[in-house]
Amino acid sequence: MAPATSATTVTAGTAADRADAHRTHGDAAHAGTPGSSGPGRTHGDAERVGTSGDVERAGFPEDVEYVVRTATADDLGGARAVMLDTVYRDLKSGYVPRWHADIIDPGAAYLRPERCTLLVVEHRGEIVATGAVRDRGPQAPPNPPWVAERFPSGTTAQLCRIYVRPEHRRHGLARRLVRELAEFAARAGGYEVLYLHTDPAVPGAEPFWRSLAREVCDERTLPGGGQGIVHFELPLPGAAPASAGGSARTSRTARTAPAH
């Protein structure tokens, strides 16, 4: 299995990233709770990738440099600070143990399980953004049973904790994190689908995810409004498209609410 790119130098963002500048914050896992390096990643490798596809310059100052890399144990304090600041400032929920246990111990949640990962974005020695993959799907409750059935644990790679500090948005960091996480999930093996959910109340989160993913269920359309979140599916890199005949997964995609 090819190793993951452990560090990617990003200077600003592409034109497409900047077009989504106001949308570079998405909450991929504001609800739900979730040690050795896993497949397809190299912890602690500080190598910089210098190809034109990895270094993107788009008119920003030369010293605005970001490094996207796999987190190490030394990064967990900085990553935890980004996550906690986001749940208090943007999500307004504060720390809720049943939702945010992974924030308190991201090493157990993301570094030790072999098919999970935590990426960080470093800027001048500071962790300014995070993004993770966990190897479990949404649970029911609190999510609709048919959503949980559609995204079973084990074969579902859930994108979560894709958080960017406000002063570092508009640089395409969230979009880059999504791309790197999706590639990790494809390399890890065993995953069939990428899943995430987001809180539309977070500024910019819903339009950002709609620019990348396909809506599966908008809970605001359910009786009582559900949790008010939106569930999305993203294509897994390298996965074959669903057949026209439609599998059980495809047939459920068309509906946004379970039958009553």
Side-chain angles (χ1 to χ4, degrees):
M1 181 179 299
T5 299
S6 57
T8 299
T9 304
V10 181
T11 304
T14 63
D17 291 339
R18 297 198 314 280
D20 289 312
H22 65 290
R23 303 182 298 199
T24 55
H25 171 74
D27 171 32
H30 81 285
T33 307
S36 73
S37 297
R41 65 185 181 193
T42 306
H43 289 303
D45 185 350
E47 177 185 359
R48 292 175 183 268
V49 180
T51 65
S52 60
D54 293 318
V55 180
E56 298 177 342
R57 304 185 183 277
F60 285 80
E62 288 293 317
D63 62 345
V64 180
E65 183 179 83
Y66 296 91
V67 178
V68 182
R69 58 180 173 80
T70 305
T72 68
D74 291 339
D75 299 318
L76 297 184
R80 186 182 298 112
V82 171
M83 295 177 189
L84 285 174
D85 286 350
T86 301
V87 299
Y88 278 95
R89 180 189 59 241
D90 292 328
L91 302 183
K92 312 298 185 185
S93 67
Y95 172 72
V96 180
R98 69 181 184 277
W99 294 345
H100 304 133
D102 61 303
I103 294 179
I104 296 306
D105 192 357
Y110 302 117
L111 298 192
R112 291 196 286 275
E114 291 195 351
R115 296 169 68 232
C116 301
T117 195
L118 173 65
L119 300 184
V120 294
V121 179
E122 182 180 352
H123 175 72
R124 299 178 184 174
E126 178 188 6
I127 302 303
V128 300
T130 62
V133 167
R134 63 173 56 151
D135 59 353
R136 58 178 294 179
Q139 306 298 298
N143 300 290
W146 70 272
V147 173
E149 178 188 356
R150 175 181 172 79
F151 299 106
S153 295
T155 58
T156 297
Q158 182 174 172
L159 304 185
C160 50
R161 308 302 179 208
I162 299 178
Y163 299 147
V164 180
R165 287 198 179 280
E167 63 271 27
H168 294 279
R169 295 171 191 168
R170 299 179 176 271
H171 290 169
L173 300 180
R175 185 175 293 270
R176 173 55 64 90
L177 284 167
V178 171
R179 185 159 61 243
E180 297 274 352
L181 293 169
E183 291 173 357
F184 167 85
R187 284 190 300 267
Y191 290 127
E192 297 178 359
V193 65
L194 295 172
Y195 160 83
L196 67 101
H197 64 264
T198 194
D199 183 350
V202 177
E206 184 177 6
F208 172 75
W209 287 115
R210 289 192 182 281
S211 75
L212 296 176
R214 178 174 59 180
E215 177 193 313
V216 172
C217 175
D218 186 338
E219 292 200 21
R220 295 171 295 182
T221 68
L222 303 180
Q227 305 170 89
I229 64 177
V230 185
H231 303 264
F232 289 98
E233 177 179 335
L234 288 84
L236 188 67
S243 64
S247 62
R249 177 181 301 279
T250 304
S251 66
R252 285 194 294 269
T253 303
R255 59 180 183 174
T256 58
H260 291 279

